[in-house]
Structure formats: structure tokens, C-alpha cells
């Protein structure tokens, strides 16, 4: 049973921040795939459901840690230990400043790349975790990063690429549930091409 995690910060003031891209992905998945109600468990919000694939329904769990972004690993570890889910069965969706806005990359393993949410998850769960990286662009200077990630998606961004990306991820999700990770990334980028071409 895969565990699909979305990173973000709890609370209404953060709801549409760039840093909450992962939360927003999971909300779209829950709605489009008919997952059950969100319940408070494992220091997070958990929903259970099934993803309909060409080879039949696949059970999955959705988890939005409520620990704040930088401590996400506490929630992920609690859920993974309870359900006996290996790191290789965990998929994390998160924002990525090192990708241009609207770019999407799916990756297995590797380091945290400076993302504190992933740093926490790898520290608490171990290597092998998969992640869907949603490009939000870099503000140009490290001193501006915090303000950038904690600011909301603009209306133009939401309409031009973020909304279409949410739709693309939910439509391509059956491929991910079947383990077809390359096909999943290909379909997401085909359905929601990044603005301005394919350059990083």
C-alpha cells in the first residue's frame, strides 16, 4: 500500500502558499479519486482510498503532515511504522525552487537537495523515498527564498500552470500507482507543459 505525502504548513494563512504545493496536490487527488474523509492521525491529516488502474484498484493512503514543513518526517515516520510501509513505497509531492515554475520532475532516492521537509523525511524514514518535484522557481537570492516560498501563487500562475499541473497529476496518477514512474512523469509534462518551453 503506497503512502502519498504532500508537504506544506497547517493553517489558513498558508493555504495557497507556494510551499503548500504538496498539500494542494493531495487535496486534488482526494477529490478526483474519491478518497475518504480526512482524519487526524499521526500528527497529520490522513485519507484512505483506491486508485483505479488498468490492472484494477490500488489501495493508497494520503498524508498531509501537520507538524509544519521542516518537521514533516515525524508524521511520515509514524504513519509508515503503523502501516509497515517501506521507504520505497512512499511518494512525496513538494515544491522545488531549483526547478523553473511549472516544471515537474519525478525522482527516486537521492539527497534532500536543501529542501528541509525532505531533509526531515529522509532523517526519520531513510533513503529510497520517491518524490514529485513541482518547480516554483528561485527568487534570485538566498535571502529572498523564505518570502518566496511563503507567498501565494498568483492568479496568473494558478491559471497558467499550477491548476493544469494539479489536474495532470491526478489524471496520470493511475500510472504511478502501477509503478510506471517514467510514464507518469511523461504524462504529467505532456498534459501540463511548463510555460516558456522545456528549459530548466
Amino acid at each position: 500500500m503506497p503512502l502519498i505525502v504532500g508537504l506544506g504548513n497547517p493553517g489558513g494563512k498558508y493555504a495557497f502558499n507556494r510551499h503548500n504545493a504538496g498539500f494542494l496536490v493531495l487535496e486534488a487527488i482526494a477529490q478526483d479519486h474519491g478518497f475518504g474523509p480526512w482524519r487526524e492521525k499521526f500528527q497529520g491529516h490522513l485519507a484512505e482510498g483506491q486508485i483505479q488502474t488498468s490492472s484494477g484498484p490500488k489501495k493508497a493512503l494520503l498524508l498531509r503532515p501537520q507538524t509544519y514543513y521542516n518537521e514533516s518526517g515525524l508524521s511520515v515516520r509514524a504513519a509508515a511504522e503503523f502501516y509497515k510501509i517501506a521507504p520505497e513505497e512512499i511518494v512525496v509531492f513538494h515544491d522545488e525552487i531549483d526547478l523553473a515554475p511549472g516544471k515537474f520532475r519525478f525522482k527516486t532516492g537521492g539527497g534532500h537537495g536543501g529542501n528541509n521537509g525532505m531533509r526531515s523525511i529522509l532523517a526519520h524514514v531513510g533513503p529510497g523515498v520517491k518524490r514529485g518535484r513541482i518547480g516554483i522557481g528561485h527568487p534570485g537570492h538566498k535571502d529572498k527564498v523564505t518570502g518566496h516560498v511563503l507567498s501565494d501563487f498568483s492568479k496568473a500562475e494558478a491559471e497558467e500552470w499550477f491548476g493544469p499541473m494539479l489536474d495532470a497529476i491526478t489524471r496520470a496518477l493511475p500510472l504511478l500507482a502501477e509503478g510506471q514512474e517514467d510514464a507518469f512523469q511523461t504524462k504529467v509534462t505532456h498534459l501540463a507543459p511548463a510555460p516558456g518551453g522545456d528549459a530548466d
Side-chain angles (χ1 to χ4, degrees):
M1 177 187 296
L3 174 63
I4 304 174
V5 179
L7 299 191
N9 288 308
K13 70 177 181 177
Y14 301 111
F16 207 58
N17 282 185
R18 293 178 177 87
H19 226 20
N20 276 39
F23 274 14
L24 294 165
V25 167
L26 260 64
E27 289 166 12
I29 290 173
Q31 180 175 340
D32 289 1
H33 290 272
F35 273 63
W38 295 100
R39 296 178 291 135
E40 292 188 14
K41 294 191 72 172
F42 312 116
Q43 299 183 67
H45 293 159
L46 184 81
E48 300 181 43
Q50 295 184 334
I51 301 166
Q52 301 299 325
T53 76
S54 60
S55 58
K58 305 287 187 182
K59 290 184 178 179
L61 298 167
L62 305 181
L63 178 68
R64 298 178 303 186
Q66 299 295 295
T67 53
Y68 286 96
Y69 199 101
N70 294 352
E71 298 291 344
S72 298
L74 295 170
S75 176
V76 177
R77 181 179 65 185
E81 288 180 346
F82 181 85
Y83 288 103
K84 297 179 172 56
I85 295 173
E88 294 77 16
E89 296 180 284
I90 299 173
V91 177
V92 183
F93 286 97
H94 64 85
D95 55 300
E96 177 60 76
I97 62 172
D98 292 330
L99 287 177
K103 294 288 289 182
F104 180 79
R105 288 289 181 267
F106 194 83
K107 179 180 180 180
T108 298
H112 53 72
N115 183 292
N116 287 330
M118 286 307 308
R119 186 196 308 268
S120 175
I121 290 171
L122 294 177
H124 286 283
V125 177
V129 175
K130 302 168 185 176
R131 77 283 304 266
R133 303 159 63 214
I134 298 165
I136 60 168
H138 198 288
H141 193 281
K142 65 180 182 180
D143 291 342
K144 296 181 179 179
V145 167
T146 299
H148 177 62
V149 300
L150 293 180
S151 62
D152 285 357
F153 288 106
S154 68
K155 183 178 180 181
E157 287 174 315
E159 292 178 350
E160 182 178 4
W161 66 264
F162 187 63
M165 182 181 288
L166 292 180
D167 182 62
I169 289 171
T170 64
R171 290 171 63 185
L173 197 64
L175 293 171
L176 182 60
E178 290 182 313
Q180 300 184 51
E181 295 159 11
D182 290 343
F184 170 68
Q185 175 175 294
T186 298
K187 186 167 183 177
V188 172
T189 53
H190 173 72
L191 292 173
D198 198 46
D200 282 340

